[in-house]
Amino acid sequence: MIGHRQLTSEDYLAILRRHKRTLLALLVLGPVAGYLVSMLLPKQYTSQTTILVQQPAVPMSYVTDINSGDLKQQLTSLQEQILSRSRLEAIITKFGLYANERNQVTMEALVDRFKKKITVTPVKPMADTNSTQLPGFIIKVSNRDPVMAQKLCAEVASMFLSENQRVKHEQAQGTTSFLTQELQDAKAKLDERDSKLAAFKSLHIGELPDDQPANMSVLAGLNTQLDAATQALNRAQQDKTFAESMLAQQSATQTADNPSMVKQLSELQNQLAAMRAKYTEDHPDVIRLKQNISDLKQKIASAQSEAASTGSAATPAAMETPETQQLRAQVHQYDATVKEKTGEQREIQRKINMYQGRMQLSPGVEEQYKQLTRDYQSAADFYNDLLKKRGDSAMVSDMNHQKESAEFRILDAANLPESPSFPNPLFFTLGGLGLGIVLGLGTVVLREGRDKTLRNEEDVEFFLQLPTLANIPSVAKARHSGSAKNASDGPRLVASA
């Protein structure tokens, strides 16, 4: 009568007492059946190996790893490649697996069955290290023969190592080929930028921003040379003037009767030379002395002309004294020096004007030069970066051929299993016990649900909705004693209408 009314704890105990034999029987038979099933099922032996993921032998500061992606993703990709149909079919053929079933079952079904017996489990890092790197992974392979399970596990582990080495080598080679092609394109662009920059430099030689320090240095040197040439020209002019005055004095001494004018002229010229050493040509004293000298020369020339008109003959050049001839030679030499320094001054001034023009660089030329330089530098940096990456890729490709650079290393070789991994008698026994409990409880619930017996006053009042007047006990014969002993199973209830 389960489910018709709310049951108390006494009701549940009564139910368990009524069906205790059934429950005990199922609790005993369940574990026994589970153990017997574990003994009858075919045995499966599992061999496992541990593969350690280690850092490369060459430090990353020397060789940059070009492999992309997370290590877990790489492991997943390797697992899919190794557990593919072609790889597993080759293993089945190599070791002669499922030889008796090949004619009855398709190869796809055999591959799926063998694939289910291979498991790859990552090793979790230690909790104290807080590391996110994958320390390694475990490969397990199951088979009915323990020796064959060991061979299959070793074969799968070897495939993981060789496949990882092949993938890394192909990736490095592919990267190297790609970088080589990109490097050729970058080299062509760099040569093009270099040609444009060289043509622009040749067209604007000496006018580029990079030439400005050199231009300033040359311009400073030219200004120094101009100052030196100017000073030399001034000295030559002063010496020439002094020689001309001395020559005029000698001529005046020979042709004029008034020696005081010649002496005065000499004194004025000496004063003028002293003034020029201190002041410039625009100084008032210098201008005044020059005017006095000019007036005195005119007087001397007038005196000479008057002497010539009176019949006195000038001294011929052949009758000149050696001092006069020496003065004339000095005047001629100073005149040549003045011409030379004047030409040198003009040439230096021309060069100064040229370099000053270079210094005044136009904004358009400067902007164009900066653009060409920036493009060339970008192309050069890109080319050098690609060159370095290609070198790293080639070095990684060479390093992958060496055993010392292997990323995967077998830590524990495939073991020979001594006891079967399936079926486990303990698990099957516990499973049988649980199944017995479930079946027992289900049986009790089913039998109680189909039982219509009214066992107490609560059942009568619940179903008939009438009060109970009296209890009539039921008497049954004892079946196991063989005597006419009465036994009371429970009261029978009479309800009042």
Side-chain angles (χ1 to χ4, degrees):
M1 302 302 292
I2 295 178
H4 298 291
R5 65 180 179 85
Q6 186 176 2
L7 301 180
T8 62
S9 59
E10 289 79 5
D11 296 331
Y12 287 114
L13 292 175
I15 292 173
L16 292 178
R17 284 195 298 268
R18 286 195 298 272
H19 302 283
K20 60 181 178 180
R21 294 180 180 180
T22 303
L23 291 175
L24 291 176
L26 291 176
L27 290 178
V28 173
L29 292 177
V32 173
Y35 181 78
L36 293 177
V37 170
S38 67
M39 294 294 103
L40 296 176
L41 289 176
K43 303 295 187 295
Q44 292 289 336
Y45 294 88
T46 301
S47 176
Q48 73 175 23
T49 179
T50 303
I51 297 180
L52 179 65
V53 179
Q54 63 180 3
Q55 296 296 327
V58 181
M60 298 303 293
S61 58
Y62 297 154
V63 178
T64 303
D65 191 5
I66 61 175
N67 294 328
S68 59
D70 185 62
L71 186 57
K72 295 181 180 179
Q73 296 180 357
Q74 296 180 16
L75 179 60
T76 304
S77 177
L78 286 176
Q79 182 177 352
E80 293 298 328
Q81 294 176 10
I82 292 172
L83 300 183
S84 62
R85 181 184 182 278
S86 59
R87 296 294 183 89
L88 296 182
E89 185 177 351
I91 296 178
I92 292 174
T93 305
K94 179 180 179 180
F95 291 94
L97 303 177
Y98 311 112
N100 299 329
E101 303 179 16
R102 292 187 182 179
N103 297 329
Q104 302 175 0
V105 183
T106 60
M107 182 58 68
E108 287 78 3
L110 295 178
V111 168
D112 293 338
R113 186 188 305 177
F114 180 54
K115 186 175 181 180
K116 294 178 181 179
K117 296 184 178 182
I118 302 174
T119 58
V120 180
T121 306
V123 177
K124 295 182 179 180
M126 298 179 62
D128 297 337
T129 59
N130 296 325
S131 175
T132 58
Q133 298 294 331
L134 181 66
F137 54 94
I138 299 175
I139 300 175
K140 296 181 180 180
V141 181
S142 301
N143 193 270
R144 295 183 180 181
D145 185 4
V147 177
M148 182 59 66
Q150 183 184 23
K151 293 181 180 180
L152 293 174
C153 186
E155 180 68 18
V156 173
S158 176
M159 292 175 62
F160 263 95
L161 267 63
S162 60
E163 183 67 18
N164 177 64
Q165 201 76 1
R166 184 190 65 82
V167 169
K168 291 182 63 178
H169 178 65
E170 289 183 354
Q171 184 177 7
Q173 282 189 339
T175 304
T176 304
S177 302
F178 172 76
L179 291 177
T180 300
Q181 182 63 35
E182 292 294 322
L183 192 63
Q184 294 177 357
D185 298 340
K187 182 64 167 58
K189 293 181 180 179
L190 181 61
D191 293 339
E192 180 183 358
R193 300 289 192 276
D194 191 13
S195 300
K196 291 182 178 180
L197 185 60
F200 186 82
K201 285 183 177 180
S202 62
L203 180 62
H204 300 277
I205 186 170
E207 300 178 356
L208 303 177
D210 296 340
D211 298 330
Q212 296 304 317
N215 292 336
M216 293 179 64
S217 178
V218 173
L219 188 60
L222 290 175
N223 288 326
T224 303
Q225 294 179 10
L226 180 61
D227 293 338
T230 302
Q231 293 178 5
L233 178 61
N234 293 333
R235 287 195 300 269
Q237 290 177 349
Q238 292 175 5
D239 294 340
K240 178 184 177 183
T241 301
F242 180 75
E244 287 178 348
S245 64
M246 293 299 295
L247 180 60
Q249 183 179 358
Q250 290 290 339
S251 300
T253 302
Q254 295 177 4
T255 57
D257 293 333
N258 190 1
S260 60
M261 297 177 62
V262 177
K263 182 178 179 181
Q264 184 180 1
L265 179 61
S266 177
E267 292 177 354
L268 291 176
Q269 289 177 346
N270 292 334
Q271 293 179 5
L272 180 60
M275 288 291 183
R276 284 179 173 175
K278 296 181 181 180
Y279 308 110
T280 61
E281 295 293 333
D282 297 332
H283 197 273
D285 294 340
V286 176
I287 296 174
R288 180 178 54 80
L289 288 174
K290 289 170 66 175
Q291 184 65 34
N292 293 336
I293 291 172
S294 177
D295 296 340
L296 189 56
K297 284 182 179 181
Q298 290 180 1
K299 290 181 180 180
I300 294 173
S302 300
Q304 289 178 356
S305 61
E306 290 177 359
S309 60
T310 56
S312 59
T315 303
M319 297 301 293
E320 289 181 348
T321 60
E323 292 80 2
T324 304
Q325 294 178 357
Q326 184 179 2
L327 288 174
R328 290 186 183 276
Q330 290 179 357
V331 170
H332 180 71
Q333 181 180 359
Y334 290 145
D335 186 59
T337 303
V338 170
K339 291 181 180 180
E340 179 185 358
K341 294 301 179 180
T342 303
E344 182 179 354
Q345 189 181 33
R346 286 197 297 269
E347 180 64 21
I348 293 174
Q349 188 63 44
R350 183 187 66 81
K351 292 181 179 180
I352 289 176
N353 295 333
M354 180 183 67
Y355 280 97
Q356 286 179 347
R358 291 181 179 180
M359 293 290 293
Q360 298 175 355
L361 184 65
S362 64
V365 175
E366 183 177 4
E367 182 66 25
Q368 188 176 359
Y369 176 75
K370 288 182 179 179
Q371 181 67 31
L372 291 174
T373 305
R374 185 165 51 249
D375 294 343
Y376 172 78
Q377 188 62 40
S378 299
D381 293 341
F382 182 68
Y383 175 79
N384 293 330
D385 185 56
L386 285 178
L387 188 63
K388 181 180 180 301
K389 289 181 179 178
R390 191 188 66 172
D392 293 341
S393 176
M395 191 176 299
V396 170
S397 179
D398 296 338
M399 189 178 65
N400 287 334
H401 291 289
Q402 303 176 3
K403 295 183 179 179
E404 293 78 4
S405 63
E407 188 178 10
F408 293 164
R409 181 172 64 87
I410 296 179
L411 182 62
D412 295 329
N415 66 322
L416 180 62
E418 298 179 355
S419 59
S421 59
F422 180 86
N424 191 334
L426 178 60
F427 290 164
F428 273 80
T429 301
L430 295 178
L433 178 61
L435 182 61
I437 293 175
V438 173
L439 290 178
L441 294 177
T443 303
V444 169
V445 172
L446 181 62
R447 293 178 63 179
E448 286 294 325
R450 300 178 61 182
D451 189 4
K452 305 299 184 180
T453 303
L454 302 178
R455 301 183 185 278
N456 48 36
E457 298 178 6
E458 287 80 4
D459 293 341
V460 174
E461 293 178 356
F462 179 80
F463 286 100
L464 301 180
Q465 301 295 324
L466 295 174
T468 303
L469 297 179
N471 293 334
I472 302 175
S474 63
V475 180
K477 294 182 178 180
R479 296 179 181 180
H480 301 287
S481 61
S483 61
K485 182 180 179 181
N486 294 332
S488 176
D489 289 340
R492 294 185 179 271
L493 304 180
V494 177
S496 174

